[in-house]
Amino acid sequence: MVKDKKHDTEIVTKPKWFDKDSVTIPMLQILKEDGSFHKDADMPEYDKELIVKIHDTMQFIRILDERMIAAQRQGRISFYLASRGEEAESVASAAALDAGDMIMGQYREQGALAYRGFTVEQFMNQLFSNEKDLGKGRQMPVHYGCADLNFMTISSPLGTQIPQATGYAFGQKMDKTEKCTICYFGEGAASEGDFHAALNMASVYKVPVIFFCRNNGYAISTPAQGEQYAGDGIAPRGIGYGMKTIRIDGNDVFAVLKATQEARRLAVEENEPVLIEAMSYRMSGHSTSDDPTGYRTRDEEAGWQAKDPLERLQKWMTDEGWLDKDHVEEHHAEVKAKVLAALKESEKVPVPHIDELINDVYDEPTDMLKEQLDELKEHIRKYPDAYSKTSGRLD
């Protein structure tokens, strides 16, 4: 065997084929499903305060999701996306970051936003699209954003945040910020061309970005294995682009924390982009518009219920003496009361004034936009009953 110096590769004289079994990527797990640590596991940096905050944030998100799904069913909001079963991925990864790092989510990262301090009132204002919403009521529910918390506003088109994350991280590198960008997406979004362009550019230009893939088994109703990909998941694609890559148990808080801490160090200190594939399961439907009973069984769901990330963490915390049944029940009752109170208050707040509709497009609204707004107001005056939330505030 000789070496081709020009292309820097080994030369063989007989065909040597490689396939999906040529590279097998293991899954990092530190906390077992029974709530005990693997012996000799490489532990993340943590203390009681951090783990309690992670737990309380996960519990908050689960309660928020439950109540807002109910609110959607009651017709109080139009749409919702829950993260039940995937809370450890967003919360524990956010806990591994610096507050100055940029977060670019897809639409199941409310845990990361809550960990950074987004209040229950801010969640509700966005979900009800009222005049206190930071996005001025222009987005669908769960399309959060907060500049103060370095959380880029969610976009509906699938995968658009992935190349944006590469570009933003390129700017962080050029500005020598010593910060990184984390970009979340599902395994379904990894089928988008944006995914491949983003990873290739990030690897070529060595930018401080963490690509965090939540492999929850389904792209809406399309199963991952066999219908989305024939290979060994998403992780091998990172290797193909010359990128540091790891696969982790997404239901294990400690594995998520460890991998993201290491990924941030690689990104910030060595300008190495990283791909993390977190294996988990979406316990809820894709959204409130989805009925998962049409494409998966109750037995399948029950099998993953036994791997519940919140219950697994609670088992370990209880054994450690960091949690007891009273705290869980008291915190649950406290959070539920706060969520319900914020819900009732937010739905009373008026929607943004209609004049806000043409702001923030240009530095100043153009004559054409003003003319279109006047035409819209005339239409609403003609049919006030059809626009009850707006017709009383046109002047």
Side-chain angles (χ1 to χ4, degrees), residues 25-29 89 93 212-213 235 246-260 276-280:
I25 300 179
M27 181 181 74
L28 173 67
Q29 185 185 80
E89 295 170 322
S93 57
F212 195 105
C213 176
I246 190 170
R247 174 177 285 149
I248 63 174
D249 181 348
N251 288 12
D252 174 1
V253 161
F254 293 91
V256 176
L257 189 62
K258 176 64 177 178
T260 313
I276 298 173
E277 182 182 19
M279 311 306 290
S280 186

